[in-house]
Amino acid sequence: TKRFTEDSLDNEKQTQHLSRFAMWEATLELIGKHPVIGIGLGEKKYIEILKKETDFITNYGKVLDNPHNSYLQIGVMAGLVTLIIFLNINASMVF
């Protein structure tokens, strides 16, 4: 029951936002380092590269298995070229 008190839920929400935003920042850093073809597909590869090329573990102690944002995930794993193709396909479906 302690987990469901109002204070603990507020703290949990703040932590989730911090973690997600921190993951997005780290993912954008990786996209900047690997803009054309990305880092490769897969959660294990993402975690491995995140640990190797950023100081995320030092700052936060753990990583999430992916950036929890589809566009960033495509951009980091497959590169900006693939992300642009994906966005064009989505736009063509809408218009």
Side-chain angles (χ1 to χ4, degrees):
T1 60
K2 184 178 181 182
R3 181 176 182 264
F4 297 105
T5 65
E6 191 171 319
D7 290 339
S8 69
L9 288 175
D10 286 341
N11 288 338
E12 188 174 318
K13 287 178 185 174
Q14 289 173 354
T15 303
Q16 287 174 349
H17 287 287
L18 175 64
S19 296
R20 184 165 290 186
F21 186 71
M23 290 298 297
W24 291 351
E25 285 183 326
T27 301
L28 287 170
E29 182 181 338
L30 289 178
I31 290 172
K33 291 180 179 180
H34 307 276
V36 179
I37 61 170
I39 62 170
L41 301 178
E43 294 171 355
K44 288 183 181 182
K45 182 76 169 178
Y46 175 74
I47 293 169
E48 174 189 323
I49 298 293
L50 190 69
K51 288 179 180 179
K52 195 181 297 183
E53 296 188 16
T54 69
D55 56 351
F56 196 86
I57 293 290
T58 305
N59 293 336
Y60 298 100
K62 65 179 183 174
V63 298
L64 301 176
D65 58 351
N66 62 57
H68 295 277
N69 179 303
S70 298
Y71 302 107
L72 290 178
Q73 189 167 349
I74 292 168
V76 74
M77 292 186 181
L80 293 178
V81 173
T82 305
L83 178 60
I84 291 168
I85 292 168
F86 177 73
L87 291 172
N88 283 329
I89 290 170
N90 284 329
S92 71
M93 300 287 269
V94 172
F95 301 112

